[in-house]
Amino acid sequence: MSIISIISWVIIFAFVAWFIWNYFRVRRAAKYISNAEFENMMRGAQIVDLRSPNEFRRKHILGARNLPSEQFKASVSALRKDKPVLLYDNTRGQLVARAVLTLKKAGYKDLYVLKNGLDYWNGKIKEKN
C-alpha cells in the first residue's frame, strides 16, 4: 500500500468520523419532532425560520420569526432562554445543525427541530400570493 493510499484512507476516515460525531452532537442538543408535536408546542414557544428573508416572505409557518442563518449568531439574543425554541428550514439541512449548536453553546436548553422541515409541513402557513 502506497503512502498516498494510506493518506487518502486516513482523510476519508477522519471525514466520516467528524460527520458521525457532529450528527450525534446535534441530536443530543435538540429533539427532532414530528409535525403534530411541533404544532402542539407552538403556542408557548418561539418559532424560528432559518431560511433567507426572500424564502420567508414567500412562505413560512404562521407565527414564525425569521432569523436567517447568515445573521443567526448576531440574533441569538433576540430569543428567550426560558421558552422552548422551535427551529426549521426547508429540509432539515446544515442550517439547523449550526443553529442548534450555536443555541446550545449560548445556554439554551429546550431546543426542538421540525423533523422534515417546511417542505413537509402540513400545518398553517402564511403565503405570499
Side-chain angles (χ1 to χ4, degrees):
M1 199 179 250
S2 74
I3 190 76
I4 293 174
S5 178
I6 292 171
I7 291 172
S8 297
W9 279 108
V10 168
I11 291 171
I12 290 169
F13 176 76
F15 179 75
V16 169
W18 175 84
F19 183 78
I20 291 169
W21 176 74
N22 203 38
Y23 173 82
F24 285 108
R25 193 168 67 138
V26 171
R27 288 292 182 156
R28 253 193 329 267
K31 182 178 180 190
Y32 284 74
I33 58 176
S34 68
N35 282 353
E37 290 171 299
F38 194 93
E39 196 162 15
N40 287 337
M41 293 184 72
M42 286 172 59
R43 179 165 266 231
Q46 305 166 91
I47 307 162
V48 178
D49 185 318
L50 297 167
R51 300 168 312 133
S52 74
N54 287 337
E55 290 175 302
F56 181 79
R57 278 191 291 278
R58 278 194 296 270
K59 175 183 173 183
H60 62 270
I61 293 175
L62 204 57
R65 72 165 64 166
N66 186 222
L67 298 179
S69 63
E70 302 84 35
Q71 304 156 356
F72 190 76
K73 281 186 180 182
S75 304
V76 166
S77 61
L79 297 171
R80 293 176 47 177
K81 290 184 180 180
D82 63 333
K83 293 178 85 176
V85 179
L86 306 177
L87 302 161
Y88 72 91
D89 69 356
N90 284 331
T91 58
R92 202 186 82 203
Q94 285 300 311
L95 301 179
V96 169
R98 276 187 248 130
V100 164
L101 295 175
T102 299
L103 289 169
K104 188 69 171 178
K105 188 175 181 180
Y108 292 81
K109 298 197 183 326
D110 290 332
L111 303 175
Y112 302 88
V113 176
L114 181 59
K115 196 174 200 171
N116 295 311
L118 183 62
D119 290 348
Y120 295 94
W121 174 249
N122 58 9
K124 293 181 181 179
I125 59 167
K126 183 172 182 179
E127 245 179 316
K128 185 177 180 182
N129 293 332

